[in-house]
Amino acid sequence: MLVRTQILIFGLIGNIIIAGILLYMNVQNQNIQTKSANSQYTSIVESAWVQSIDNSFSNLNSWGTSGEKGQQYWNPYSEIPLFIDIGFEGFDYANPLIEALDQEIESDLFIMIDEMFLDEVDLGNISFIKIYNENNTELTCLYAFDWADVGNSIDVCDANNKINFLRDDSVSAFLGKIKNRLSVTNEVIFAQEPDGNTNLHQIVGFPVYMSNEFGVSTGQLLGSVIIGRDLRQSMTIFESDLGVRTGIVSNNQIIDAVYSDELSLDESIGITNYSFNHIKTDILENGLTNLDSKNFEALGLSLTSVPVASTVNPNTALFFVIKNVADDLKELRDSTLNSIIFTFAVIILIVLAIWWIQDGAFSRIAKAIEVLEALTKGDTTKQIPQNKGFLSSETNEVGQLSNALGRYRNHLLEMDEVRKDRAERRKQRDEVIIKKMSGLAGKLEGDAKSLITKDITNMKKLVSETSDENAEEASVEMMEIAFSRMSDEVNALIDLKTKEMATARDEAREASSAKSRFFANMSHELRTPLNAIIGYSEMLLEDCEDLGNDDMIPDLKRITNSSKHLLSLINNVLDLSKIEAGKMDMYFTPFSIDTMIETIKDVSGPLATKNNNEFIIKNNVKGEMTSDETKLRQCIVNFLSNAFKFTENGQVALVIDQKEIEGKEYINFDIKDTGIGMTEEQLGKLFDTYTQAERSTSAKYGGTGLGLSISKHFAEMMGGGVEVSSEVGKGSTFSIFVPKQSEEENVDEETDIENPELKEGDEYILLVDDDKATHDVVKRAIRKEGHTVYSAFDGDEGVDQARKFKPKLILLDVLMPGRDGWSVLKEIKNDKNLKDVPVVITSVLNEESLASSLGADDYMKKPIDRTFFLNIVKRYITEKDQKVLVVDDDENTRDLLTKILNNEGYMSIDAKNGEDALERVKEKPDLIVLDLDMPRMDGFEFIERSRTEGMKIPIVVFSGKDITAVEEKMLSKYTEGIVKKESKVESLVKEVNQILKTK
């Protein structure tokens, strides 16, 4: 299928889809408008009907004892001219109606009531009147018999017909309720015949009490009056005013208006008896929903339902209105049809426009293809098609194609000229080679001369016999002959030199191997006894404390501290030895400069506050660089540490810029301080190993003099360097610059570590560490516990292995060349399949003080020293009845601290995390003992919240951490535990077993 046809089809399909979406949106919009209109009409109908009902009740209420119309008729001292005209006069009372009610003269009552309500009955405002004595016995009843044979008319005066009150059980209950009311009572009742025919009436009821000459009630009840109006009369008026048909549905019956049959003959409202009866049938079959409106499109009518009255439950009866909406529905259908016609007309126009544009464009493309085929066959006489016609342009695709073909044709013509030039130069080159070979033959003797002479003859033959098409191959063949002869002459010398170089290479490899074994043995032999010394000294220290051997404790502490310091020195010496022996590898990977600076800021921040220094960072370089991020960061942190150490109450600034050296881009890091500065003599020996500026500096500030030397070596190994300038009393500036894009030399090292064969579902421990010795030691220890260990020597290998076979536990080194453990840890925890795998960090980072940087009042380190703990408590609490809050997620630790405090007479409360602690603080403790690493809210956040909220309670921080505060805060969100490499192997085994047992 042609591309133009495909585009046309896709365009047509796309436009049809768009048209469908637009039509769907149009229909939805019309539906929304229809629903909105129906809702508005429902509100209008409800409001009009409520107003009609209220007007009817208002007229009925006016006939009450206090009403405008009825007040004089129910006053015993009022003379009623109407009654006098028909021959009724009072004897005991001036009002014969009250006298007849009091004496219960039923015939007189009926005549007077008939005359009294004659006009209201004729107008249809009242349909019946009932009068009862004080005992609720009916005395008389008047019904508008004009309605007796119309619709659902029911004679409420007929004893066979029932009156049902919606709120009362009977007429007596209703009359008993209204006797104590001063005003009239409004209600809607049902009138029902024995055959089930039902009708609804509005009624008002009120009691008639005897009153004195001043119009004050004497409390004597004469009787009660109920006046009603047939709701059908209100419906008839409603239909006449709004030009609609109405009805009431109740008990599965339809109650029509009084004169609805006559109204159906009025063609102006557009509702026939057939349509009306059809909708009534639908109502009886499907029911009605309160406050709802729907359309019968086939009939052109709408049906709207509202409550009969506020006192009538919609489930009992609903008032409905049928309206002619044929014109509105027709207008809606016409609008939809017009939208469809317009949409498809637009689609046809768009498709025709696409076809017209494509026909013009693709016809020119077809001509361009013909020219391209001719050019590929070497025919440069074919004319390039011109880009002409409507919408043609040199910048559109067809114009660019024509221009490209023109350039290609010119290029072919240029290539023909180049080939001719190359052929001429080739001929000259061959003549020079033959001449040189002839000169070489004249200097040789014997077989060598014969061979060279024979080759010259063959070369001349090749030059004379080859055509232009084979000239290049002949020239190459001739050069092969010439150079093969010359190569034979030097092969003997090459073989000799190769043997000598192989011997030297083997000797160098042996020396390198011996040096590697030496470093490995030194590392193992020095660290192993030191680990034993540290472990046993700590054990003896605990035993002495338990046994009370106080004399031994200071010496054991000195042994422990000195051993740890010695281990740190040995690590530096071995690193320096690796550098000097060329065994320190570099791992160059791309990384974000901003991210590295943020990490440096977090790590070095606490150092700045130690000597009250201001730490300033100014980064003028954005984006990424490629280098060994770990070693570069180590160098910068080392320079910053020196700056913070030799500066007090000053400023230390880290400035990052980009510069060019010999055409190559470098990233420059300046570390500037306002410290003590250095002399020229001190600068001269600054980077000498094991040397500081002067002996007094070492005595005052400490240090071994290895840090700067190692940093300088690292910078040079990364392809850069280190520069320093200083002035005594004003400060120093250290500059380290490395290439923005470093090139890595890959060195493959063989390893003797063998990994087990794994399959899906196997449980194993993944060890990620760049140190081979660590793998060997850890594997031996953990295998004794029955666990399988798989080794990975860098971060990427570890992540790939974890995703291939999910481990049960991961042991991760923090400091690794190239990609360090922090980035590996974040990737693992962001992986939805690996985030639940426990991670134990193995670290060689030095301890940093956490308490002061966090704003805590004191600091302790786990395991807890009982005496040290109690001394700190006593420092902040001087009275035994004061309260201490212990915050730790470990229940055993909380119990231990609680027992220690209780034994000393202190009150203690506890909390399992920061959130609980914030609640327990309301109990007003006098001291808080706080762990840092807890779920939900850790110690760091708790301290921050407490200081923000203005708490003045002393806080003692205790923790088992042995890394910097900022790094520990990052690590605590992800890891299950921390084990130092300086710790005994048994500590690692214990940690592993503890984590795996809880899985």
Side-chain angles (χ1 to χ4, degrees), residues 986-999:
E986 288 80 0
S987 300
L988 177 59
V989 175
K990 182 179 179 181
E991 180 73 15
V992 171
N993 285 331
Q994 180 180 356
I995 293 175
L996 294 182
K997 287 177 182 177
T998 60
K999 290 295 289 178

Side-chain angles (χ1 to χ4, degrees), residues 513-652:
S513 177
K515 187 172 291 186
S516 298
R517 290 194 298 272
F518 170 76
F519 286 137
N521 291 335
M522 285 295 293
S523 176
H524 178 71
E525 295 299 329
L526 288 175
R527 287 190 174 118
T528 299
L530 277 177
N531 283 332
I533 292 171
I534 293 171
Y536 282 116
S537 62
E538 290 177 346
M539 292 173 55
L540 289 173
L541 181 61
E542 293 177 0
D543 293 340
C544 289
E545 291 175 347
D546 295 338
L547 296 175
N549 294 336
D550 297 337
D551 295 339
M552 300 289 291
I553 292 175
D555 294 334
L556 290 173
K557 287 183 177 179
R558 293 189 186 96
I559 292 173
T560 303
N561 295 334
S562 298
S563 299
K564 292 181 178 179
H565 180 63
L566 180 58
L567 181 60
S568 175
L569 293 177
I570 290 172
N571 289 336
N572 287 336
V573 171
L574 291 176
D575 285 343
L576 184 61
S577 300
K578 284 185 178 181
I579 293 173
E580 294 174 348
K583 292 296 182 180
M584 183 63 71
D585 296 325
M586 290 286 157
Y587 295 88
F588 298 124
T589 57
F591 59 89
S592 170
I593 298 175
D594 288 334
T595 303
M596 183 188 71
I597 296 304
E598 285 299 319
T599 304
I600 291 173
K601 178 181 177 182
D602 293 340
V603 172
S604 302
L607 297 176
T609 60
K610 187 174 183 180
N611 287 340
N612 195 26
N613 292 316
E614 180 183 2
F615 186 20
I616 302 171
I617 296 178
K618 185 177 181 182
N619 184 9
N620 299 320
V621 182
K622 303 298 181 181
E624 291 189 344
M625 63 180 295
T626 299
S627 188
D628 191 319
E629 180 184 2
T630 303
K631 291 184 175 61
L632 177 59
R633 187 172 63 235
Q634 182 178 344
C635 295
I636 298 173
V637 171
N638 193 10
F639 289 144
L640 286 170
S641 300
N642 278 346
F644 290 130
K645 181 167 64 174
F646 293 106
T647 304
E648 295 183 1
N649 301 318
Q651 291 183 343
V652 176

Side-chain angles (χ1 to χ4, degrees), residues 5-22:
T5 305
Q6 295 179 12
I7 295 176
L8 191 63
I9 292 174
F10 289 148
L12 179 61
I13 294 174
N15 281 288
I16 291 175
I17 293 174
I18 294 174
I21 294 173
L22 292 175

